[in-house]
Amino acid sequence: MTAETTPQKGFRSRCSIARTLDILGDRWTLLIVRDLMWHGKHTFGALQDSEERVPTNILANRLKLLEAHGLLARIPYQSRPVRHRYELTEFGRSLEPVLLKLMEWGHERLGGGAFDPVTRTSWNADADATG
Amino acid sequence: MTAETTPQKGFRSRCSIARTLDILGDRWTLLIVRDLMWHGKHTFGALQDSEERVPTNILANRLKLLEAHGLLARIPYQSRPVRHRYELTEFGRSLEPVLLKLMEWGHERLGGGAFDPVTRTSWNADADATG
């Protein structure tokens, strides 16, 4: 995909880093992606139950934002009352290398835990800590 | 550095991604790091002059935050009046792979420009666009 074929609308600049941060540049969005990607959390309740305790209004807002950008699909799994499960799209799953790089830096430089998505094991973290 | 030797204070959780976002999770901080890292912008005025037009109060706040976390050094280069230049520390420079990964995703997936820090060339971007 080139800049020529992509709408410029809504992005601050042509800079790829600025565009990425236009969508993902906040304290919470990538943690929600983390939980969807690696930790089997696919309902609003499960996503709320992260170690970081995402506020309800922020979680609702970020799920809408991720869906609006095509990173997330909302799939009804029950009709009365309607309930949805949230799944990353292929586009959303393409963020895995970004998550891994942020994790690597936080592990090496900030003493945070590490999580291996292949073996599903964690180091230097509480048993239930998440990457 | 392991979790055991690092103060937990101030971090939301042991998750390395959450810790990284505690410091860098907003729309602006990594753009300031980008300009310091690659684009030779080392004064307040030069940093203000980014394509994204960072608001003055946010720039001042983020420079203080980067300095407080040891990512940035403020070096006086003139005494009357005192003026400072801003330089990334080695810790700050360790963010280069993180910037490159965010750029890669924004380039491949959002049609943003790319910048090669080795050759200092850009693709799919205006002549003065920045990575």
Side-chain angles (χ1 to χ4, degrees), chain A residues 24 26-39 51-52 95-117 123-125 129-131, chain B residues 11-26 30 95 98 102:
Chain A
L24 302 167
D26 72 78
R27 285 159 49 88
W28 293 104
T29 307
L30 284 170
L31 296 186
I32 297 165
V33 173
R34 171 201 68 184
D35 285 346
L36 289 160
M37 181 95 65
W38 294 332
H39 300 300
E51 193 184 353
E52 294 85 9
L95 284 165
E96 189 165 33
V98 173
L99 283 187
L100 287 168
K101 190 56 76 178
L102 293 169
M103 181 174 75
E104 187 182 314
W105 192 79
H107 180 55
E108 289 176 0
R109 296 292 182 151
L110 305 176
F115 173 77
D116 180 342
W123 303 273
N124 290 337
T130 49
Chain B
F11 289 123
R12 280 176 290 175
S13 75
R14 284 174 168 266
C15 171
S16 292
I17 298 169
R19 289 182 177 203
T20 300
L21 298 177
D22 280 343
I23 300 177
L24 302 167
D26 72 79
L30 284 169
L95 283 166
V98 174
L102 293 169

Side-chain angles (χ1 to χ4, degrees), chain A residues 13-14 16 52 90 109 113, chain B residues 13-14 16 52 90 109 113:
Chain A
S13 75
R14 284 174 168 267
S16 292
E52 294 85 9
E90 181 278 335
R109 296 292 182 151
Chain B
S13 75
R14 284 174 168 266
S16 292
E52 294 86 9
E90 180 278 334
R109 295 292 180 150

